[in-house]
Each structure stands twice: as structure tokens, then as C-alpha cells.
Amino acid sequence: MVNLVLLGPPGVGKGTYAKELSRRLGIPHISTGDIFREEVKKGTPLGLKVKEYLDRGVLVPDSIVNEVVKQRLSMDDCRRGFILDGYPRTLNQAKALDSMVRIDAALYFTAPKEVIIERVSGRRICPKCGAIYHVKNIPPKKPGICDICGSKLIQREDDKPEVVERRLRVYEETMRPVIEYYRSKGLLIEVDASEPVVERIVLKAIEELKRRNIIS
Ligand code: AMP
């Protein structure tokens, strides 16, 4: 059983690494961003509440996010562990998470700002199955079409340049204490994600988890 948190700026590739780690480790990938986007798409009461925050690229209030995560982590598939992606985003959330479960490690993916902006602007997602592509680094077989389900790929509203800059700023301000929090607990594992090869980055993360006896 391994309970992991993934940290890193928007666009560094967390979601992509999370999906690959989930496949290799056999534990669910839980993305609060994906959960919110899904709720917005379905027009649920939660979706209506969070839509405005998502469109503006600002954080959803802690009380809402914490409740969503608590419910998700209590589901059966999390008994063998989980990979949290996009949560915690504030020190408050990190402390709330500690009151729900024991966290084994926080994988912190880093890359220079120019690399991040390039990754975000080229990112395309499948609105139906959630697959993530990049026009250059991870292109779909047919341009603009999802390899997995054949849907037309889209650019996330908040991946547009004006919103990305705001998200990066919000990230800088709110994440520093979260990163320091995990560092002070000895749980932070930094992974250099500057190179574009997903496989190699994920293998580096797995090797480090093994080296520290967090997984076998
Ligand atoms: P993401 O896909 O992780 O970039 O999340 C997209 C958007 O969902 C963010 O810009 C926030 O509005 C919202 N969101 C996702 N996770 C969180 C969180 N842990 N705390 C607050 N807002 C969140």
C-alpha cells in the first residue's frame, strides 16, 4: 500500500506522470481538477458551485475541496493506496489531508518556467476520456483526435495564455509552504522533469520510491 501526493507547477506534466504511475503501481489516480471538470460538465450542484473558480483559474475554497477528497479517499479502490494529483494546493489542505490518511511520499516534479509554458500551450486533452496529449511531445496518431476513444481533442479553457500566467502566480504563492511542509517531514522527493520523455521521468520517480523502501 502506498499513499502518494504529486506536486509541481501546472503544466509540468503531473497528470501524465500520475496516469503512468497509476498503471505501473496499480493504484487509482485521483485528480481534483478532473473531478471538478467532470462535475462542471455534468452540471451537478457541485459543478455549478465550482465552475466560476475554474474558469477564472483561481483556487476552489478549501472547505469544498477537502470534502470532495475525503469522500473520494473513502472509496473501496483506495484501500491499496492512491496517487493524488492537484491536491493539496494550500498548507490548509495539506494539514486537512494529514487528518484523513497517512501520506508516504510527496513527489515534486520540477522544470524551468519556459519549459512549463511550452508544455501548457501545446497541451490538448480528450473531453470524453481525459487522455492528455501534447502537439509536439505526445502527439495523437491522428492530429486532433484521441487515440483511445476517437473524440475530438480540445484545449482547456484555463490553458489559454492569460489564465496560465495567473495559475503559475497562484501556484508560486500558495505552494511554497506546502512544499516546505513535506520537506520538513522528510517526505519530499524532487524529480527533475525537464526532459520531454515521460517514461524516463516516471522511472526516475519509481526508482527513488524503491530506494527509500516506500515501494518494493
Ligand atoms: P488542475 O487540473 O489541477 O490544474 O485544476 C484545475 C482547476 O481546478 C484549478 O485551477 C482550480 O480552480 C481547481 N482545483 C483543482 N484542484 C484544486 C485544489 N486542490 N484546491 C483548489 N482548487 C483546485
Side-chain angles (χ1 to χ4, degrees):
M1 165 157 169
V2 61
N3 298 343
L4 298 175
V5 157
L6 303 197
L7 304 174
V12 76
K14 277 192 307 290
T16 305
Y17 312 137
K19 285 191 167 65
E20 187 58 21
L21 280 166
S22 163
R23 196 182 63 80
R24 285 170 179 266
L25 302 178
I27 50 178
H29 163 214
I30 300 170
S31 153
T32 43
D34 282 353
I35 294 176
F36 289 142
R37 277 186 291 278
E38 183 66 24
E39 298 286 325
V40 169
K41 204 169 74 188
K42 288 200 276 189
T44 63
L46 173 64
L48 294 176
K49 244 195 279 185
V50 301
K51 181 177 189 322
E52 178 207 340
Y53 298 100
L54 264 72
D55 286 347
R56 284 167 45 220
V58 298
L59 294 181
V60 171
D62 286 346
S63 56
I64 300 179
V65 192
N66 290 340
E67 193 47 43
V68 165
V69 171
K70 195 169 176 186
Q71 278 189 19
R72 182 64 188 86
L73 295 185
S74 70
M75 291 168 83
D76 261 5
D77 63 338
C78 293
R79 269 190 306 201
R80 292 185 45 238
F82 54 79
I83 300 169
L84 272 173
D85 162 20
Y87 180 94
R89 282 274 233 295
T90 64
L91 189 55
N92 237 324
Q93 291 180 10
K95 290 181 177 165
L97 177 61
D98 274 344
S99 72
M100 299 175 211
V101 281
R102 183 203 73 248
I103 294 301
D104 298 308
L107 293 170
Y108 177 33
F109 296 96
T110 58
K113 195 168 172 181
E114 312 80 72
V115 173
I116 288 169
I117 297 205
E118 201 269 332
R119 279 186 193 165
V120 178
S121 57
R123 169 157 66 186
R124 298 294 180 271
I125 63 165
C126 173
K128 191 146 171 241
C129 74
I132 306 169
Y133 300 87
H134 185 281
V135 289
K136 275 214 300 272
N137 303 337
I138 319 173
K141 292 197 184 81
K142 248 206 233 157
I145 303 293
C146 179
D147 291 349
I148 300 165
C149 72
S151 304
K152 201 162 174 268
L153 301 179
I154 57 163
Q155 183 172 38
R156 274 169 51 175
E157 207 44 54
D158 60 355
D159 279 349
K160 309 263 159 87
E162 328 76 74
V163 188
V164 170
E165 294 213 355
R166 185 170 331 121
R167 284 168 66 211
L168 280 174
R169 241 187 354 259
V170 171
Y171 171 80
E172 285 285 325
E173 285 162 19
T174 56
M175 284 308 281
R176 200 164 321 203
V178 177
I179 289 158
E180 291 316 315
Y181 181 73
Y182 287 114
R183 199 195 304 277
S184 72
K185 287 170 159 267
L187 296 179
L188 196 76
I189 300 178
E190 286 196 50
V191 183
D192 178 2
S194 335
E195 60 170 325
V197 187
V198 173
E199 190 82 358
R200 280 220 292 268
I201 295 167
V202 169
L203 284 178
K204 264 196 290 196
I206 290 181
E207 267 166 31
E208 197 51 35
L209 289 170
K210 284 187 178 158
R211 202 179 66 77
R212 298 185 188 212
N213 289 323
I214 295 168
I215 57 171
S216 50

PDB file of all heavy atoms in Angstrom, residues 8-23:
ATOM      1  N   GLY A   8       3.926  19.971  -8.114  1.00  0.00           N
ATOM      2  CA  GLY A   8       4.626  20.553  -9.256  1.00  0.00           C
ATOM      3  C   GLY A   8       3.728  21.574  -9.904  1.00  0.00           C
ATOM      4  O   GLY A   8       2.506  21.487  -9.772  1.00  0.00           O
ATOM      5  N   PRO A   9       4.327  22.546 -10.596  1.00  0.00           N
ATOM      6  CA  PRO A   9       3.520  23.616 -11.190  1.00  0.00           C
ATOM      7  C   PRO A   9       2.557  23.104 -12.260  1.00  0.00           C
ATOM      8  O   PRO A   9       2.795  22.042 -12.846  1.00  0.00           O
ATOM      9  CB  PRO A   9       4.569  24.535 -11.813  1.00  0.00           C
ATOM     10  CG  PRO A   9       5.787  23.696 -11.950  1.00  0.00           C
ATOM     11  CD  PRO A   9       5.742  22.676 -10.872  1.00  0.00           C
ATOM     12  N   PRO A  10       1.481  23.861 -12.517  1.00  0.00           N
ATOM     13  CA  PRO A  10       0.570  23.460 -13.588  1.00  0.00           C
ATOM     14  C   PRO A  10       1.359  23.363 -14.882  1.00  0.00           C
ATOM     15  O   PRO A  10       2.167  24.237 -15.184  1.00  0.00           O
ATOM     16  CB  PRO A  10      -0.454  24.595 -13.650  1.00  0.00           C
ATOM     17  CG  PRO A  10       0.056  25.694 -12.793  1.00  0.00           C
ATOM     18  CD  PRO A  10       1.099  25.126 -11.888  1.00  0.00           C
ATOM     19  N   GLY A  11       1.177  22.284 -15.611  1.00  0.00           N
ATOM     20  CA  GLY A  11       1.851  22.156 -16.905  1.00  0.00           C
ATOM     21  C   GLY A  11       3.163  21.395 -16.848  1.00  0.00           C
ATOM     22  O   GLY A  11       3.746  21.090 -17.875  1.00  0.00           O
ATOM     23  N   VAL A  12       3.637  21.029 -15.656  1.00  0.00           N
ATOM     24  CA  VAL A  12       4.911  20.314 -15.596  1.00  0.00           C
ATOM     25  C   VAL A  12       4.741  18.876 -16.087  1.00  0.00           C
ATOM     26  O   VAL A  12       5.699  18.214 -16.460  1.00  0.00           O
ATOM     27  CB  VAL A  12       5.519  20.349 -14.161  1.00  0.00           C
ATOM     28  CG1 VAL A  12       4.815  19.384 -13.237  1.00  0.00           C
ATOM     29  CG2 VAL A  12       7.010  20.073 -14.194  1.00  0.00           C
ATOM     30  N   GLY A  13       3.483  18.400 -16.081  1.00  0.00           N
ATOM     31  CA  GLY A  13       3.206  17.056 -16.578  1.00  0.00           C
ATOM     32  C   GLY A  13       2.703  16.106 -15.498  1.00  0.00           C
ATOM     33  O   GLY A  13       2.629  14.897 -15.717  1.00  0.00           O
ATOM     34  N   LYS A  14       2.313  16.657 -14.352  1.00  0.00           N
ATOM     35  CA  LYS A  14       1.845  15.830 -13.225  1.00  0.00           C
ATOM     36  C   LYS A  14       0.789  14.809 -13.634  1.00  0.00           C
ATOM     37  O   LYS A  14       0.868  13.661 -13.270  1.00  0.00           O
ATOM     38  CB  LYS A  14       1.197  16.710 -12.149  1.00  0.00           C
ATOM     39  CG  LYS A  14       2.124  17.365 -11.195  1.00  0.00           C
ATOM     40  CD  LYS A  14       1.344  17.966 -10.019  1.00  0.00           C
ATOM     41  CE  LYS A  14       0.221  18.883 -10.391  1.00  0.00           C
ATOM     42  NZ  LYS A  14       0.594  20.156 -10.962  1.00  0.00           N
ATOM     43  N   GLY A  15      -0.208  15.282 -14.385  1.00  0.00           N
ATOM     44  CA  GLY A  15      -1.316  14.404 -14.766  1.00  0.00           C
ATOM     45  C   GLY A  15      -0.831  13.233 -15.605  1.00  0.00           C
ATOM     46  O   GLY A  15      -1.264  12.089 -15.414  1.00  0.00           O
ATOM     47  N   THR A  16       0.080  13.517 -16.511  1.00  0.00           N
ATOM     48  CA  THR A  16       0.636  12.474 -17.379  1.00  0.00           C
ATOM     49  C   THR A  16       1.436  11.465 -16.549  1.00  0.00           C
ATOM     50  O   THR A  16       1.278  10.252 -16.710  1.00  0.00           O
ATOM     51  CB  THR A  16       1.552  13.121 -18.450  1.00  0.00           C
ATOM     52  OG1 THR A  16       0.799  14.116 -19.130  1.00  0.00           O
ATOM     53  CG2 THR A  16       2.070  12.100 -19.435  1.00  0.00           C
ATOM     54  N   TYR A  17       2.288  11.953 -15.646  1.00  0.00           N
ATOM     55  CA  TYR A  17       3.085  11.039 -14.807  1.00  0.00           C
ATOM     56  C   TYR A  17       2.161  10.257 -13.879  1.00  0.00           C
ATOM     57  O   TYR A  17       2.395   9.080 -13.611  1.00  0.00           O
ATOM     58  CB  TYR A  17       4.128  11.811 -13.975  1.00  0.00           C
ATOM     59  CG  TYR A  17       4.922  12.812 -14.772  1.00  0.00           C
ATOM     60  CD1 TYR A  17       5.206  14.085 -14.285  1.00  0.00           C
ATOM     61  CD2 TYR A  17       5.373  12.488 -16.051  1.00  0.00           C
ATOM     62  CE1 TYR A  17       5.914  15.014 -15.037  1.00  0.00           C
ATOM     63  CE2 TYR A  17       6.078  13.417 -16.814  1.00  0.00           C
ATOM     64  CZ  TYR A  17       6.333  14.686 -16.299  1.00  0.00           C
ATOM     65  OH  TYR A  17       7.013  15.599 -17.049  1.00  0.00           O
ATOM     66  N   ALA A  18       1.118  10.925 -13.384  1.00  0.00           N
ATOM     67  CA  ALA A  18       0.190  10.262 -12.463  1.00  0.00           C
ATOM     68  C   ALA A  18      -0.486   9.077 -13.143  1.00  0.00           C
ATOM     69  O   ALA A  18      -0.609   7.997 -12.561  1.00  0.00           O
ATOM     70  CB  ALA A  18      -0.866  11.250 -11.975  1.00  0.00           C
ATOM     71  N   LYS A  19      -0.920   9.265 -14.384  1.00  0.00           N
ATOM     72  CA  LYS A  19      -1.591   8.176 -15.101  1.00  0.00           C
ATOM     73  C   LYS A  19      -0.649   6.995 -15.283  1.00  0.00           C
ATOM     74  O   LYS A  19      -1.028   5.839 -15.110  1.00  0.00           O
ATOM     75  CB  LYS A  19      -2.074   8.674 -16.470  1.00  0.00           C
ATOM     76  CG  LYS A  19      -3.311   9.558 -16.375  1.00  0.00           C
ATOM     77  CD  LYS A  19      -3.893   9.803 -17.773  1.00  0.00           C
ATOM     78  CE  LYS A  19      -5.286  10.404 -17.729  1.00  0.00           C
ATOM     79  NZ  LYS A  19      -5.352  11.741 -17.154  1.00  0.00           N
ATOM     80  N   GLU A  20       0.607   7.274 -15.628  1.00  0.00           N
ATOM     81  CA  GLU A  20       1.594   6.219 -15.847  1.00  0.00           C
ATOM     82  C   GLU A  20       1.958   5.532 -14.519  1.00  0.00           C
ATOM     83  O   GLU A  20       2.067   4.306 -14.458  1.00  0.00           O
ATOM     84  CB  GLU A  20       2.826   6.835 -16.530  1.00  0.00           C
ATOM     85  CG  GLU A  20       3.883   5.864 -16.975  1.00  0.00           C
ATOM     86  CD  GLU A  20       3.383   4.799 -17.943  1.00  0.00           C
ATOM     87  OE1 GLU A  20       2.329   4.998 -18.590  1.00  0.00           O
ATOM     88  OE2 GLU A  20       4.055   3.740 -18.026  1.00  0.00           O
ATOM     89  N   LEU A  21       2.100   6.311 -13.463  1.00  0.00           N
ATOM     90  CA  LEU A  21       2.399   5.727 -12.153  1.00  0.00           C
ATOM     91  C   LEU A  21       1.233   4.852 -11.691  1.00  0.00           C
ATOM     92  O   LEU A  21       1.424   3.779 -11.126  1.00  0.00           O
ATOM     93  CB  LEU A  21       2.634   6.842 -11.119  1.00  0.00           C
ATOM     94  CG  LEU A  21       4.007   7.499 -11.134  1.00  0.00           C
ATOM     95  CD1 LEU A  21       3.991   8.793 -10.317  1.00  0.00           C
ATOM     96  CD2 LEU A  21       5.074   6.558 -10.577  1.00  0.00           C
ATOM     97  N   SER A  22       0.017   5.329 -11.948  1.00  0.00           N
ATOM     98  CA  SER A  22      -1.178   4.591 -11.560  1.00  0.00           C
ATOM     99  C   SER A  22      -1.208   3.223 -12.255  1.00  0.00           C
ATOM    100  O   SER A  22      -1.491   2.193 -11.637  1.00  0.00           O
ATOM    101  CB  SER A  22      -2.403   5.431 -11.936  1.00  0.00           C
ATOM    102  OG  SER A  22      -3.559   4.650 -11.955  1.00  0.00           O
ATOM    103  N   ARG A  23      -0.875   3.217 -13.530  1.00  0.00           N
ATOM    104  CA  ARG A  23      -0.861   1.978 -14.307  1.00  0.00           C
ATOM    105  C   ARG A  23       0.206   1.023 -13.764  1.00  0.00           C
ATOM    106  O   ARG A  23      -0.040  -0.157 -13.537  1.00  0.00           O
ATOM    107  CB  ARG A  23      -0.573   2.322 -15.778  1.00  0.00           C
ATOM    108  CG  ARG A  23      -0.887   1.230 -16.765  1.00  0.00           C
ATOM    109  CD  ARG A  23      -0.530   1.656 -18.184  1.00  0.00           C
ATOM    110  NE  ARG A  23       0.892   1.904 -18.394  1.00  0.00           N
ATOM    111  CZ  ARG A  23       1.805   0.961 -18.598  1.00  0.00           C
ATOM    112  NH1 ARG A  23       1.445  -0.304 -18.596  1.00  0.00           N
ATOM    113  NH2 ARG A  23       3.081   1.277 -18.784  1.00  0.00           N
TER     114      ARG A  23
END
